[in-house]
Structures are given as structure tokens and as C-alpha cells.
Amino acid sequence: MGLRERTRQAVKVDIAATAMRLFLEQGFDATTMEQIAAEAEVSRRSLFRYFESKEDIALGDIAERGVRVQEVLAGRPDSEGPWEALRAALDVLATEMEFTPEWAARITAMFHETPSLRARQVEKQLRWTGQLVPEVERRLGVPPGSAGDPRAAAIVTSALACLNAAVDAWTTGGGKRSVFELYDEAVAAIRA
């Protein structure tokens, strides 16, 4: 990555951190793009070159995290079944995210209290399905490009629904239990 791209990434990270601080202090809906630009010391126009909307700032790199989960899933041993490989791949979310539990709880609560954020989060997570299904199909022995076999899509969408249910339970439970412990319980309920 060249100097220009590193500088662009650093500015983007700074803007996102500033915005998250404002969202948590004032509330998501009460924070304006103008306030974010002023606090981050960039013009409104520059802000929109980095982010299309407040939702995009708050959701950060959800799409990129999906790509990372896909990479880890593809690298899992072929001996693992789809559920086991997905579980191991989703672990990357916990190990590579740099949040304190308290901060993560506050952000997750903000997402749950803001309908526009939840809707945008679901939209971005839907992309994950398209990214993960081909690897699960491969693990199931489904020939590439075959139509009419719903198993891989059912497994991926169920796994992501379990992840969302675990995050919901984690948030309402005050973050007392591990998200992945709750995820494992959700998966066990589905697979029972």
C-alpha cells in the first residue's frame, strides 16, 4: 500500500473514531454529518468522499469482515464439516476486532436502538451469504453453479441468524456471557 492509500486509510479511521464518539455521546440520530466533519476537521465534501452516510460510518467495515470470514473459511481443513468450518471462520470476528467489551456493548446497543442502522447492517450481512455459500457448497459436494440445492444457503443463513441472535442475547444480557458461547447454543438449538 502506497503513502497516499495509507494516508487515506488513516483519515478514514480517524473520521470513523470521531463519529463513533459523537454517536455514543449524543445518540446516532442526533449527530449530523456536519458535526462529524467539524469534529474530524475535514470538509463536509471530503467526509462524503470517505463515507456515503452516517450508517456507513457506524457500520464500518462489515463488508470487509465478510471477506475476511470467507478467506478463513476457505482455508479451513477439508475434513471439517460446513458447520464446524463456519464456526471456526466466524472466530476471526472476535480475534481481529479491537474493542473493549464495554465499548462493544455500547455500540451494539446503539445498533439495536436505531432502525436505520439495523436495516443497513442486515443489507451488508446479506452480502456475506453470497460470499460464504460457494465454500459451503464445495464442502457439501455440490457442483459449482448447480441450481436447486438449498442446503448451503440454508446453512449459511442459519449460521448468520444464530450469530445475530447471539449478539442480541449478549446485548440484552449486559455482555456477561461470550457471544460465541451464545452462538454455539443457538446453533445447537437449530441442529437439534
Side-chain angles (χ1 to χ4, degrees), residues 1-191:
M1 188 181 319
L3 177 60
R4 174 176 267 186
E5 185 57 28
R6 286 194 312 267
T7 301
R8 180 173 168 69
Q9 287 300 323
V11 170
K12 191 172 182 176
V13 166
D14 185 56
I15 291 169
T18 299
M20 290 308 284
R21 180 179 52 78
L22 290 171
F23 295 154
L24 294 174
E25 287 173 2
Q26 303 175 168
F28 181 80
D29 290 328
T31 303
T32 67
M33 291 294 270
E34 290 77 12
Q35 289 173 317
I36 295 167
E39 285 283 323
E41 299 178 349
V42 296
S43 70
R44 189 177 193 294
R45 184 175 173 176
S46 291
L47 177 62
F48 279 103
R49 276 192 288 239
Y50 289 97
F51 299 98
E52 291 180 22
S53 67
K54 289 192 311 183
E55 289 81 6
D56 286 336
I57 297 171
L59 291 169
D61 60 353
I62 284 182
E64 289 82 11
R65 282 186 235 148
V67 170
R68 183 67 182 123
V69 171
Q70 176 190 23
E71 292 169 352
V72 173
L73 177 62
R76 298 300 305 167
D78 285 342
S79 60
E80 289 180 338
W83 284 102
E84 294 75 22
L86 274 168
R87 170 61 170 88
L90 289 171
D91 269 343
V92 76
L93 299 174
T95 58
E96 293 185 0
M97 294 178 72
E98 301 174 9
F99 300 129
T100 64
E102 299 79 23
W103 199 69
R106 290 178 65 200
I107 290 172
T108 304
M110 178 182 71
F111 280 24
H112 288 266
E113 295 164 1
T114 311
S116 64
L117 279 177
R118 292 229 17 162
R120 195 64 175 260
Q121 181 182 17
V122 167
E123 175 189 318
K124 287 191 175 204
Q125 231 181 25
L126 283 174
R127 291 183 198 163
W128 288 24
T129 301
Q131 294 167 327
L132 301 175
V133 163
E135 176 59 22
V136 173
E137 285 177 332
R138 185 187 71 74
R139 288 176 182 278
L140 292 172
V142 175
S146 5
D149 190 331
R151 294 177 298 156
I155 290 170
V156 170
T157 55
S158 296
L160 294 177
C162 288
L163 181 60
N164 289 334
V167 170
D168 287 346
W170 181 78
T171 302
T172 58
K176 290 185 172 74
R177 296 179 61 204
S178 157
V179 169
F180 283 101
E181 180 182 315
L182 295 164
Y183 171 83
D184 291 339
E185 288 178 12
V187 169
I190 284 181
R191 296 186 71 189

